[in-house]
C-alpha cells in the first residue's frame, strides 16, 4: 500500500532546522488535516506522529472549549491551545497554532504542572521549547521556582526555629545546672560551715593562749588562713547560686574604690600600671560593701594574671543617665565601672563561658573556676549587670552597671549606752555538738551566763523551768522546730527577746535579705569570735 501523498509546507521546509530545534514536539498540518512535518522528538517518543498521519486521530483539543476537530482550529489562531495526545496517557501539549494559506503550525511543548511528572512521562527538560509566544514554559518554571523559593524560605524558617529552640534548650540546661549547683551548695554549706566554724573558732581561741614568739602560734595562724580560704569557697558557691545574704545599702563609691586600690596595689607588682579614674559627680551606689570589694578585686587580679609581661590596668567610673538593669526593670540612673587591661584577651568560646561555674582557663591547682561566676552572682544581687568585651591580643574590658543613688542626708548620731555583759543570761541552741561547745566557751569567756540546748524541745524545757534569758542565740536549721519558729513560739509566751540567728545556710528568704525587726540579727557561719561579741553587745545596748 503506497503512502498518501503529503504536500509539505513551504514555510516548514524553509525554517525546518530552526523550528525542529526550538520545538521538538512541534508539527504542521495541511488543510486536509494531515501532518506534513513533525518535530524531531516525535520519532523516539511516539513514532505514530509522522508525515501523513491524521491530526484528529492523534489529538483531542481540550482548549479552547467548543473545538471538536481540526477544521475548527482556524477559528482559534493565536489563542492558547491544550491538546491531549491519544497515544500516550497523561501527555498533553500546550501552545498555539499559527496559520498560513495551506497549513497550520503548532508551536509549543509538553504541559506539566509538576516537575516530578517528567520521569513518569519519559521526558527531559531539553524536550521543552526555550520559549513560546504565551510564555507557557516560563510560567511553569516560574511556578516551580516559586515553590522552591517557598520551600527554601520554609527551610530557613525551620532552621531559625530549630536554632532558637536549641538556644532555649541550652538556656534551660544552664538554669537547671545552676539550680543543681545551688541545691548542692546549699546542702553542703550548712554542714561544711559548721565544721569550719569549729575549726576557725578553736584556732582563734588557741591563739589567745599562745605567745606570739611560739612557733605553734604561726602554725595556728596558717590554720586560720586556710579556714578563711575554705569559707570563701563556700561563700563563692552560695553567692554564685544567689543564696548568700547581702546587706544592700548606700555606699560611698569613692571610698570603696580607694580601699580597693590600697588592697590591690601591692599585689600587682612593678610591671602593671594601675590607673583609677573617678568621676566626682558620682557619690553613692546601692550595693554590699564587702561584696563590691570582692567583685573589683577579683576582676583586678584576673587582669593581672592576663598580663604576665606587664601592662596597663584601669578602673574607670562614669555615670549613665539610664540603662535597663537586671529583672527587666524600668530604666534608671546607673554607674558604670569599667575594668580594662591590655592583656592577652579572650577568644569567643572563652567569652561565652567565663561566667560558668567551675570554668577556668588557669592551670590545674591555680583556680577552681568560681571567681567570675561569683562576680556575676553578686552583681545580679546588686540589681545590676555585667558584660565583657575582649579580643585575642587586644585586652579585655568588664563593664559593671549598678544603681546610682543621690547622696543621702547625714544621719544624726544616736548615743548608745554600753551595757555590761557580766552575768547576762544567754540561751544557746544548736544541734551541732562541736559548734555548741565552741560557742559556749566563747560566751563564757566574754562573761555571759550560758544555758545550752541541742534542739527547740530542750530549750522550751528550760523556759518551762522558769528560767529568764536576756539573749537567745539559736541555729536556724534544727530537728523539730527551726530557729525562727522557736523564736516566734517563745515571744508569743514570754514577750520580745533579743535574738541572734546563726546558720551555715538557710532557705529563709527573710533572714537572707536581712528583713528582721530591731531586736533580731543574723550571722552566717563561719563567723569570728569578734563578730559574735560585737553583735551581742549591740543587741544588749538597744
Amino acid at each position: 500500500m503506497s503512502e498518501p501523498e503529503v504536500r509539505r509546507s513551504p514555510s516548514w521546509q524553509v525554517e525546518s532546522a530552526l523550528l525542529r530545534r526550538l520545538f521538538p514536539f512541534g508539527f504542521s498540518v495541511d488543510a486536509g488535516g494531515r501532518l506534513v512535518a513533525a518535530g524531531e522528538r516525535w520519532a523516539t517518543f511516539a513514532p505514530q506522529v509522522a508525515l501523513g498521519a491524521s491530526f484528529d486521530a492523534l489529538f483531542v483539543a481540550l482548549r479552547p472549549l467548543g473545538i471538536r476537530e481540526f477544521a475548527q482550529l482556524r477559528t482559534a489562531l493565536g489563542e492558547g491551545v491544550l491538546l491531549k495526545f491519544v497515544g500516550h496517557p497523561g501527555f498533553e501539549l500546550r501552545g498555539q497554532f499559527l496559520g498560513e494559506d495551506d497549513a497550520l503550525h503548532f508551536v509549543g511543548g509538553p504541559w506539566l504542572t509538576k516537575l516530578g511528572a517528567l520521569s513518569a512521562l519519559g521526558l527531559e527538560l531539553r524536550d521543552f521549547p526555550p520559549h513560546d509566544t504565551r510564555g507557557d514554559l516560563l510560567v511553569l518554571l516560574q511556578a516551580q521556582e516559586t515553590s522552591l523559593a517557598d520551600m527554601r524560605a520554609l527551610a530557613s524558617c525551620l532552621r531559625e526555629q530549630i536554632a532558637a529552640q536549641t538556644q532555649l534548650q541550652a538556656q534551660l540546661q544552664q538554669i537547671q545546672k545552676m539550680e543543681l549547683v545551688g541545691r548542692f551548695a546549699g546542702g553542703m554549706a550548712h554542714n561544711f560551715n559548721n565544721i569550719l566554724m569549729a575549726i576557725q573558732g578553736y584556732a582563734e581561741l588557741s591563739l589567745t593562749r599562745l605567745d606570739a614568739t611560739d612557733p605553734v602560734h604561726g602554725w595556728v595562724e596558717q590554720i586560720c588562713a586556710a579556714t578563711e580560704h575554705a569559707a570563701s569557697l563556700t561563700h563563692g558557691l552560695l553567692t554564685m547560686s544567689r543564696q548568700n545574704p547581702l546587706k544592700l545599702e548606700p555606699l560611698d563609691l569613692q571610698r570603696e574604690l580607694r580601699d580597693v586600690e590600697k588592697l590591690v596595689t601591692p599585689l600587682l607588682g612593678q610591671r602593671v600600671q594601675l590607673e583609677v579614674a573617678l568621676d566626682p559627680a558620682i557619690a553613692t551606689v546601692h550595693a554590699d560593701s564587702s561584696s563590691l570589694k570582692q567583685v573589683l578585686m577579683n576582676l583586678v587580679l584576673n587582669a593581672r594574671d592576663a598580663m604576665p609581661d606587664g601592662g596597663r590596668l584601669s578602673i574607670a567610673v562614669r555615670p549613665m543617665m539610664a540603662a535597663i538593669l537586671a529583672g527587666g526593670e524600668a530604666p534608671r540612673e546607673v554607674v558604670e565601672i569599667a575594668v580594662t587591661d591590655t592583656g592577652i584577651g579572650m577568644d569567643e568560646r572563652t567569652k561565652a563561658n567565663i561566667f560558668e561555674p567551675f570554668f577556668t582557663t588557669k592551670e590545674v591547682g591555680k583556680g577552681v573556676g568560681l571567681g567570675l561566676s561569683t562576680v556575676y552572682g553578686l552583681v545580679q544581687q546588686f540589681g545590676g549587670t555585667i558584660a565583657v568585651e575582649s579580643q585575642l591580643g587586644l585586652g579585655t574590658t568588664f563593664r559593671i552597671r549598678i544603681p546610682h543613688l543621690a547622696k543621702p542626708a547625714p544621719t544624726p548620731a544616736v548615743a548608745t549606752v554600753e551595757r555590761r555583759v557580766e552575768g547576762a543570761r544567754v540561751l544557746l541552741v544548736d544541734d551541732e555538738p562541736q559548734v555548741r561547745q565552741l560557742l559556749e566557751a566563747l560566751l563564757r569567756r566574754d562573761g555571759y551566763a550560758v544555758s545550752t540546748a541541742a534542739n527547740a524541745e530542750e530549750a522550751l524545757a528550760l523556759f518551762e523551768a522558769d528560767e529568764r534569758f536576756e539573749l537567745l542565740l539559736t541555729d536556724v536549721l534544727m530537728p523539730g522546730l527551726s530557729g525562727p519558729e522557736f523564736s516566734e513560739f517563745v515571744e508569743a509566751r514570754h514577750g520580745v527577746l533579743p535574738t541572734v540567728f546563726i546558720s551555715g545556710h538557710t532557705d529563709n528568704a527573710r533572714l537572707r535579705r536581712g528583713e528582721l525587726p530591731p531586736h533580731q540579727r543574723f550571722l552566717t557561719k563561719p563567723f569570728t569570735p569578734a563578730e559574735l561579741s560585737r553583735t551581742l553587745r549591740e543587741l544588749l545596748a538597744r
Side-chain angles (χ1 to χ4, degrees), residues 456-469:
E457 183 179 0
E458 292 182 10
L460 286 174
L462 294 176
F463 272 99
E464 295 300 327
D466 200 29
E467 289 200 39
R468 294 289 180 262
F469 297 101

Side-chain angles (χ1 to χ4, degrees), residues 68-69 97 149 216 287 420 438 450 539:
R68 296 298 181 184
E69 55 188 15
F97 280 97
V216 178
R420 294 174 60 86
L438 168 66
V450 185
L539 278 179

Side-chain angles (χ1 to χ4, degrees), residues 365-387:
K366 298 292 186 179
V368 295
L370 289 178
L372 287 176
S373 61
T374 299
V375 166
Y376 183 85
L378 288 172
V379 173
Q380 289 281 309
Q381 291 187 77
F382 296 163
T385 62
I386 182 169

Side-chain angles (χ1 to χ4, degrees), residues 430 435 439 473-476 500-504 522-523 525 527:
D430 198 304
V435 175
L439 293 177
L473 180 62
T474 177
D475 194 13
V476 174
V500 177
F501 297 108
I502 58 176
S503 181
F522 176 66
L523 288 177
K525 298 176 184 177
F527 48 82

Side-chain angles (χ1 to χ4, degrees), residues 251-265 274-280 282-283 285 289 292-297 299-300 314-318 335-339 400 402:
L251 297 179
D252 184 340
L253 186 58
Q254 305 274 348
R255 184 178 63 189
E256 298 294 326
L257 289 175
R258 292 304 180 194
D259 289 345
V260 171
E261 185 178 11
K262 293 176 184 177
L263 289 171
V264 301
T265 298
L274 175 63
E275 301 174 357
V276 180
L278 301 176
D279 191 320
I282 298 175
V285 293
S289 178
L292 180 60
K293 290 185 177 70
Q294 181 181 357
V295 166
L296 294 174
M297 289 188 64
L299 294 179
V300 167
S314 69
I315 304 176
V317 180
R318 67 186 179 103
V335 173
E336 181 183 87
I337 306 173
V339 180
I400 301 169
I402 54 179

Side-chain angles (χ1 to χ4, degrees), residues 33-67:
R34 299 279 180 176
L35 270 62
V36 294
E40 58 186 15
R41 184 66 170 90
W42 287 112
T44 55
F45 184 78
Q48 63 269 41
V49 182
L51 301 183
S54 169
F55 173 86
D56 290 333
L58 297 173
F59 302 99
V60 176
L62 302 177
R63 295 286 188 277
L65 295 176
I67 301 297

Side-chain angles (χ1 to χ4, degrees), residues 63-91:
R63 295 286 188 277
L65 295 176
I67 301 297
R68 296 298 181 184
E69 55 188 15
F70 172 74
Q72 297 174 297
L73 285 174
R74 283 193 176 274
T75 64
L77 296 180
E79 294 185 30
V81 174
L82 184 63
L83 301 177
K84 176 183 177 181
F85 178 51
V86 178
H88 203 306
F91 180 73

Side-chain angles (χ1 to χ4, degrees), residues 207-225:
L207 287 176
T208 63
R209 299 295 184 91
L210 293 171
D211 188 272
T213 60
D214 191 329
V216 178
H217 189 282
W219 300 346
V220 177
E221 285 184 328
Q222 291 298 319
I223 294 174
C224 291

